[in-house]
Amino acid sequence: PSSGGYSSLDVPAREIDAFWLQRKISAFESDVTQQQALAEKVLHILQNTDPRFIENELVFLLDYERFDFIRLVNKNRKKIVFCTRLKKAQNEEERRAIEDEMGADPEGTAILESLRSTNKKTDIKREQGATATTTTTGKAPIKIENVGAGASSVNAKTGKHVLDLDSLSFAQGAHYMSNKQVKLPTGSFR
């Protein structure tokens, strides 16, 4: 799974540092200069407040093959933005300004508390959750490993992809796309 090996799409705030995005991008981009440029562009896009704009721009920038990565960064948008900016702060004054900005945002406050928390065992248990669950289908119990809440995984023996359509479906049914301007990848048409 390309979602980073997490049991869910929730990335612990402590793992995100100034180069977290670049390390994640290195999984699919080998050129270091390109990694840095993509990391900066992704961080800039994530600072926007409109979730639709963010997802569209990330898909346009990274293409559909990176959808697991796009979902991961979109779900952890504020953590990535705040933690990356905090770790890149050049001096204490800049760091305090970012912490003040985080304190004004409810989600930012939770991230700040998570970073300041000293009880690591409680955080690790809360963030990891259950790594595996068992279910019964009437015959024998089947162990199901969490693959990352979502989109696709590869069966090691057959090499076939399994796509979780439920994670891709809209919770409220079909949606009409009312965007006036649409950017499609090269070779696609409307």
Side-chain angles (χ1 to χ4, degrees):
S2 61
S3 63
Y6 301 103
S7 61
S8 70
L9 291 176
D10 191 35
V11 178
R14 289 190 180 154
E15 289 187 17
I16 302 172
D17 61 8
F19 302 102
W20 184 88
L21 268 175
Q22 191 173 339
R23 281 194 305 274
K24 294 299 174 188
I25 290 172
S26 72
F28 55 84
E29 178 60 53
S30 58
D31 182 25
V32 177
T33 308
Q34 189 67 15
Q35 290 172 12
Q36 290 172 340
L38 280 175
E40 288 300 317
K41 287 177 185 176
V42 168
L43 186 62
H44 180 72
I45 291 169
L46 290 176
Q47 291 178 7
N48 196 300
T49 57
D50 181 17
R52 281 187 184 173
F53 173 81
I54 292 169
E55 191 169 292
N56 287 340
E57 289 296 310
L58 288 175
V59 168
F60 185 68
L61 178 67
L62 301 171
D63 210 16
Y64 291 103
E65 288 85 38
R66 313 285 182 243
F67 193 72
D68 287 344
F69 174 73
I70 292 169
R71 269 199 5 221
L72 179 72
V73 297
N74 207 5
K75 170 128 175 50
N76 297 286
R77 180 179 69 84
K78 286 195 177 184
K79 280 184 197 175
I80 293 168
V81 169
F82 283 137
C83 292
T84 303
R85 287 179 55 212
L86 203 56
K87 300 293 181 175
K88 285 185 175 183
Q90 297 294 321
N91 53 40
E92 193 59 37
E93 182 180 312
E94 192 177 335
R95 184 177 174 84
R96 267 190 250 113
I98 295 168
E99 287 177 351
D100 291 342
E101 185 181 337
M102 290 173 77
D105 183 295
E107 200 174 328
T109 304
I111 295 167
L112 199 54
E113 287 175 11
S114 172
L115 290 172
R116 291 179 176 165
S117 146
T118 56
N119 190 352
K120 291 184 181 181
K121 290 182 181 177
T122 312
D123 288 348
I124 291 170
K125 286 181 184 177
R126 186 174 357 121
E127 290 169 351
Q128 288 179 345
T131 57
T133 58
T134 57
T135 61
T136 56
T137 58
K139 296 178 183 174
I142 301 170
K143 188 172 184 179
I144 302 171
E145 303 244 346
N146 289 343
V147 181
S152 68
S153 66
V154 178
N155 187 339
K157 291 182 181 177
T158 62
K160 293 183 180 179
H161 289 274
V162 178
L163 184 64
D164 182 10
L165 296 177
D166 291 334
S167 70
L168 300 175
S169 68
F170 291 109
Q172 300 172 348
H175 287 276
Y176 171 72
M177 189 180 91
S178 61
N179 293 350
K180 300 272 189 239
Q181 181 183 11
V182 178
K183 292 181 185 176
L184 297 174
T186 309
S188 300
F189 58 92
R190 188 169 170 184

